[in-house]
Amino acid sequence: MMAGLQTAKKDLRRRMRNVLQSIPSESIVSQCRAKTATNKLFALTEYQHAKRIGVYLSMPSGELSTTAIVQDALSQGKEVFVPYIHNVESPQATQKISIMDMLALESMEEFTSLVPDKWGIPSLSEAQVATRRNCLGGTGVSTREDDPSNMGVYGLDLIVMPGMAFDEGFRRLGHGKGYYDHFLTRYSKDAAQSTTTTPKMPLLVALSLREQMLSAAEEVPVTTHDWPVDVVIVGDDRCLIRQR
């Protein structure tokens, strides 16, 4: 069964790559420029009340831009945390594995100075992360896959997530590395172990180009390790909200 699901995921990713490559650049530009999706996000009560948010930094093409979100959040005095991918020791494996931490972005000036990685995504450099606040507690990156944190002090109120495809059942197809699902699993374990706060997961908001949204008859194949999102905001003015 698991093998069948993984095959279905690979097939959908292959299909979505073809879809994304065939989207006229004007369609993506118009969906980003209209700011329909970002305005839907800004209208959410949870976003307005959020003090600490995580947000993906967008690729040059193939997904909705998050630049306006970073700018708005910082201008409102929200703390903004962005993904940083790195290798750590895994207690279950003899080799290092790649995981994601969410580290603080200090200003819009810093954002505009970030150097694009091989996918064109603005990224913090290795030299920048050592003293950077980690949303899971402390500073710098996690040193192990199961690195403990201090969720009583830290955490996030909302995370803006990317993906390759989404459906009306709030299922999300990632790019295949599992970074966000793994991060959320670590986060949930830390939240459950916190003795100083009531365990609470951040609101998960996905941004989708209209071409990434599957038809009502289709579903994204998922496993028990895949996290559903709470909100799907689409570039064509749709905003789907799941009952929590």
Side-chain angles (χ1 to χ4, degrees):
M1 174 132 182
M2 183 64 72
L5 283 171
Q6 294 303 332
T7 298
K9 284 186 175 187
K10 288 180 181 178
D11 290 343
L12 182 55
R13 285 193 186 96
R14 187 180 303 113
R15 173 184 145 197
M16 292 310 300
R17 286 191 194 98
N18 292 334
V19 168
L20 292 171
Q21 288 171 3
S22 65
I23 300 174
S25 58
E26 309 84 64
S27 174
I28 297 177
V29 169
S30 65
Q31 290 182 68
C32 293
R33 186 175 293 158
K35 295 188 178 179
T36 302
T38 50
N39 287 337
K40 290 284 187 185
L41 173 67
F42 298 158
L44 292 176
T45 301
E46 292 89 345
Y47 174 81
Q48 294 169 4
H49 291 169
K51 293 180 172 61
R52 297 162 61 88
I53 73 165
V55 57
Y56 74 90
L57 300 185
S58 46
M59 295 184 290
S61 62
E63 61 187 7
L64 286 171
S65 171
T66 57
T67 299
I69 298 170
V70 173
Q71 187 170 27
D72 181 83
L74 289 171
S75 71
Q76 291 195 41
K78 300 182 190 295
E79 294 181 71
V80 175
F81 294 79
V82 299
Y84 181 75
I85 309 299
H86 61 103
N87 294 324
V88 297
E89 300 288 346
S90 171
Q92 287 83 33
T94 56
Q95 60 186 19
K96 290 188 175 183
I97 64 167
S98 184
I99 68 168
M100 181 182 82
D101 275 309
M102 296 288 266
L103 304 180
L105 183 71
E106 300 298 343
S107 67
M108 199 62 195
E109 290 73 22
E110 181 177 68
F111 170 77
T112 57
S113 70
L114 294 178
V115 177
D117 65 12
K118 61 182 179 180
W119 295 285
I121 302 171
S123 302
L124 293 166
S125 68
E126 186 176 355
Q128 290 177 293
V129 304
T131 58
R132 193 74 42 157
R133 286 173 295 129
N134 189 317
C135 81
L136 293 178
T139 58
V141 297
S142 303
T143 57
R144 302 191 315 277
E145 182 186 15
D146 59 348
D147 205 2
S149 66
N150 185 1
M151 291 290 295
V153 177
Y154 297 93
L156 295 170
D157 300 310
L158 182 149
I159 301 177
V160 181
M161 300 172 62
M164 291 194 74
F166 308 92
D167 67 25
E168 294 184 3
F170 301 93
R171 303 171 190 88
R172 166 186 170 270
L173 180 74
H175 289 270
K177 300 295 186 181
Y179 290 131
Y180 279 87
D181 292 313
H182 187 187
F183 171 82
L184 290 169
T185 297
R186 290 168 57 213
Y187 190 112
S188 67
K189 289 178 180 177
D190 286 342
Q193 293 169 3
S194 173
T195 58
T196 57
T197 61
T198 302
K200 180 184 176 184
M201 292 298 292
L203 187 79
L204 305 180
V205 180
L207 296 187
S208 172
L209 293 165
R210 62 173 173 264
E211 293 87 354
Q212 293 177 294
M213 195 71 188
L214 300 185
S215 68
E218 293 184 280
E219 292 184 0
V220 171
V222 295
T223 69
T224 55
H225 302 294
D226 297 318
W227 285 76
V229 297
D230 301 302
V231 180
V232 181
I233 300 177
V234 192
D236 61 6
D237 204 30
R238 281 180 286 171
C239 181
L240 309 178
I241 301 177
R242 180 169 69 97
Q243 293 297 113
R244 298 182 81 186

